[in-house]
Amino acid sequence: MVEVSIRHRTTYRYRQPVSLGPHRLMMRPRESRELRLLSSVLTLTPEAHVTWAQDVAGNAVATALFGSPSETLVVECLSRVELSASAYPVFDIAATAITFPFRYTDDAWADLGALTILQYPKGQPSLRDWAQGFVASWPTDTLSLLKDLNAGVGSAIIYQAREDEGTQSPSETLSRGTGSCRDLATLLAEAVRSLGFGARLVSGYLHDPTRTLLGSADAGATHAWVEIFLPGAGWITFDPTNRAVGGANLIPVAVARDIRLAMPLTGSYAGPAGAFLDMAVEVSVD
């Protein structure tokens, strides 16, 4: 067991007071059999009326409503979690899914739904052709195929931190040969979907006490990765940025079919043109 503290602080500054619209926050760590949430405190300046709900994926979502104009907006979430994920996980995959290709049960297929559908069906080079290149034989070992694809994304794409908003399409990432963690995660999710797997994108934090992992700033950072569903084993974690399998260094916050649906903070403001001054994000995981 490892106890980890997370501090996630976002600051917006404006040249003059602006009216803040509703803001949607996803910063509370997502509990699982490998993560126990010990505490989580959300603080906003200026003060806001905050309500909590769970979205369709079971993520904890806070909505903040502000009452008065302000020149700044500060959102800070302090959390403490207990991690128990193994560094060398063993997956009890059902006999029916050990070999690829396999077929999900009708119930599993219905429940996976949109998580099996390509979100970026067009583009060149062909994502489907690229993914098919990792299938060594028909049939082949399922877990080995997924590990090869995960490592293949990390090998083919040079990690590059990207501060601008949005996510590259998988074809764009393949063409450029560079991408952020969210770009690599999107590429892997879409690649396995093209082969018939159910996959979801995960946003959260990277815990890196060794300061050796890609995507880390100092001892931690926000991060994005993928979970792929295999019968028997359930959702298996793949981090293509670090070519890793399992969640030993990962603290999930939200899961979604598209990473844009798992952004930590979204919202709006009303004010004069050019009122926005700057934004700063500080994350510590230790």
Side-chain angles (χ1 to χ4, degrees):
M1 299 288 186
V2 178
E3 285 195 14
V4 177
S5 295
I6 306 120
R7 177 178 178 269
H8 187 172
R9 179 185 176 97
T10 302
T11 303
Y12 292 92
R13 296 194 304 150
Y14 304 92
R15 289 185 170 85
Q16 61 191 82
V18 298
S19 297
L20 298 168
H23 280 61
R24 182 174 183 267
L25 298 84
M26 301 176 77
M27 296 180 177
R28 180 186 175 95
R30 182 182 172 99
E31 289 195 272
S32 70
R33 59 185 173 81
E34 296 178 337
L35 184 151
R36 186 162 71 96
L37 182 61
L38 303 178
S39 63
S40 187
V41 178
L42 181 65
T43 306
L44 295 99
T45 305
E47 292 186 356
H49 175 67
V50 178
T51 58
W52 287 90
Q54 284 186 305
D55 66 11
V56 68
N59 303 310
V61 181
T63 300
L65 301 177
F66 300 89
S68 58
S70 178
E71 292 181 341
T72 61
L73 169 60
V74 181
V75 179
E76 182 174 72
C77 187
L78 301 175
S79 302
R80 189 159 185 83
V81 300
E82 185 178 77
L83 305 178
S84 60
S86 171
Y88 304 99
V90 176
F91 305 108
D92 189 15
I93 301 171
T96 56
I98 289 177
T99 300
F100 173 86
F102 67 89
R103 188 180 187 280
Y104 289 117
T105 65
D106 290 344
D107 285 339
W109 185 257
D111 289 339
L112 288 169
L115 301 179
T116 65
I117 299 173
L118 290 173
Q119 304 298 300
Y120 301 84
K122 299 179 181 179
Q124 292 295 328
S126 168
L127 177 64
R128 192 181 303 274
D129 290 346
W130 183 80
Q132 292 276 5
F134 289 88
V135 183
S137 61
W138 296 79
T140 192
D141 182 78
T142 300
L143 187 57
S144 294
L145 168 61
L146 295 177
K147 287 180 176 180
D148 288 347
L149 263 167
N150 185 56
V153 171
S155 298
I157 310 302
I158 298 172
Y159 170 77
Q160 188 174 71
R162 200 160 52 79
E163 298 300 329
D164 51 315
E165 294 183 2
T167 302
Q168 296 174 176
S169 71
S171 295
E172 186 179 3
T173 299
L174 286 173
S175 296
R176 291 186 175 186
T178 63
S180 66
C181 59
R182 63 186 183 274
D183 300 321
L184 272 70
T186 297
L187 172 57
L188 177 61
E190 290 286 273
V192 300
R193 285 170 179 165
S194 77
L195 296 177
F197 292 94
R200 60 190 185 186
L201 281 295
V202 190
S203 69
Y205 304 102
L206 179 64
H207 177 226
D208 183 20
T210 64
R211 293 167 170 77
T212 59
L213 299 175
L214 291 175
S216 178
D218 198 11
T222 56
H223 197 51
W225 60 96
V226 180
E227 291 179 350
I228 302 171
F229 186 79
L230 291 182
W235 291 104
I236 297 180
T237 298
F238 292 85
D239 178 7
T241 300
N242 290 291
R243 310 180 200 181
V245 181
N249 293 93
L250 302 172
I251 301 167
V253 169
V255 300
R257 61 178 169 82
D258 191 309
I259 198 65
R260 65 181 175 80
L261 302 175
M263 299 293 290
L265 176 60
T266 57
S268 62
Y269 73 91
F276 177 73
L277 186 60
D278 58 33
M279 178 188 76
V281 179
E282 304 166 67
V283 177
S284 63
V285 184
D286 51 38

